[in-house]
């Protein structure tokens, strides 16, 4: 009868619609990235200057140091995105340790990419004393890294969002002299997305 066909048709449409929504949710549901430091590019003069400023109790001048870092980011999302230049701050106990700028980059869906970050740190006598007290005797430092990255989700009609990062990063200060690529010994991050 006509009513039975109508019920079957509505049921089929509802099932197909629910299936489409489930697939879209699976594909578009945001997944958090993972990251690891691959390479830290630091001149020998910067290494010497930083170690001296961290470990010399008589450090009494202000010095600015720069370093570059290559970070491997794993994007587990199915959608692609483009990140504009992003700015982050590294702090120890509410004292700014470094200002970090990450270069713009494309991030294809389900891929690994390398982010290039440029860090600039100015060690003042006050910060030197704080860091000296923090790193002696363990030579470990836990810093808080925060910031926002403007992201355009190219797979979703160019939707613009702000990706917020909040990480606690554990640093082995001695690795600065031995192998800078192994300075970051751990990290715990939370992420948020805002429109």
């Amino acid at each position: 009868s006509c009513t039975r066909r109508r019920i079957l048709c509505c049921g089929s449409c509802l099932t197909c619609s629910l299936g489409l929504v489930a697939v879209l949710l699976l594909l578009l549901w945001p997944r958090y990235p993972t990251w690891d430091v691959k390479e830290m590019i630091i001149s020998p003069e910067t290494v010497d200057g930083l170690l001296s400023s961290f470990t010399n109790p008589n450090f009494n001048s202000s010095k600015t140091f720069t370093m570059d870092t290559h970070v491997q980011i794993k994007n587990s999302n199915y959608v692609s995105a483009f990140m504009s230049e992003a700015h982050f701050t590294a702090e120890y106990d509410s004292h700014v340790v470094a200002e970090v700028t990450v270069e713009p980059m494309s991030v294809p869906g389900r891929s690994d990419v390398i982010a290039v970050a440029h860090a600039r740190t100015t060690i003042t006598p006050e910060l030197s004393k704080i860091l000296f007290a923090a790193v002696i005797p363990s030579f470990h430092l836990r810093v808080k890294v925060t910031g926002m990255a403007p992201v355009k989700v190219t797979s979703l009609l160019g939707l613009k969002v702000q990706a917020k990062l909040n990480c606690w990063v554990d640093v082995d200060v001695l690795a600065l002299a031995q192998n800078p690529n192994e300075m970051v010994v751990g990290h715990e991050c939370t992420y948020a997305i805002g429109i």
Side-chain angles (χ1 to χ4, degrees):
S1 86
C2 188
T3 306
R4 184 178 172 150
R5 260 191 244 148
R6 194 174 290 171
I7 291 173
L8 282 175
C9 183
C10 288
S12 296
C13 287
L14 180 62
T15 302
C16 287
S17 297
L18 288 175
L20 180 61
V21 168
V23 168
L24 286 174
L25 277 174
L26 176 70
L27 294 177
L28 299 178
W29 194 264
R31 292 163 183 82
Y32 297 126
T34 57
W35 61 269
D36 288 302
V37 171
K38 287 300 170 194
E39 181 181 18
M40 294 194 71
I41 303 163
I42 308 172
S43 72
E45 296 81 20
T46 297
V47 170
D48 292 343
L50 281 170
L51 286 175
S52 173
S53 66
F54 280 15
T55 59
N56 180 357
N58 299 318
F59 181 83
N60 63 359
S61 62
S62 291
K63 291 189 178 179
T64 299
F65 304 98
T66 59
M67 65 186 79
D68 295 331
T69 305
H70 294 173
V71 179
Q72 183 173 12
I73 299 174
K74 180 176 179 62
N75 176 17
S76 299
N77 291 292
Y78 287 93
V79 296
S80 299
F82 177 81
M83 185 189 81
S84 298
E85 183 176 274
H87 299 275
F88 300 96
T89 303
E91 297 178 334
Y92 173 76
D93 197 25
S94 76
H95 299 279
V96 175
V97 176
E99 295 290 341
V100 181
T101 302
V102 180
E103 292 180 2
M105 64 180 180
S106 291
V107 184
R110 310 284 296 167
S111 68
D112 290 356
V113 295
I114 298 293
V116 178
H118 308 285
R120 180 180 175 90
T121 183
T122 299
I123 307 293
T124 62
E126 176 191 17
L127 184 57
S128 173
K129 287 179 179 37
I130 292 166
L131 294 175
F132 178 81
V135 300
I136 302 297
S138 70
F139 291 96
H140 280 81
L141 192 64
R142 187 171 174 91
V143 295
K144 183 178 183 179
V145 179
T146 57
M148 302 275 286
V151 176
K152 184 168 133 179
V153 185
T154 51
S155 302
L156 293 178
L157 304 173
L159 175 69
K160 293 182 180 180
V161 297
Q162 292 287 326
K164 183 177 182 181
L165 169 81
N166 187 1
C167 288
W168 287 101
V169 179
D170 296 310
V171 178
D172 177 2
V173 178
L174 285 180
L176 180 62
Q178 299 165 352
N179 184 356
N181 296 337
E182 295 180 5
M183 282 180 57
V184 175
V185 293
H187 60 275
E188 301 167 21
C189 299
T190 58
Y191 307 92
I193 297 173
I195 296 179

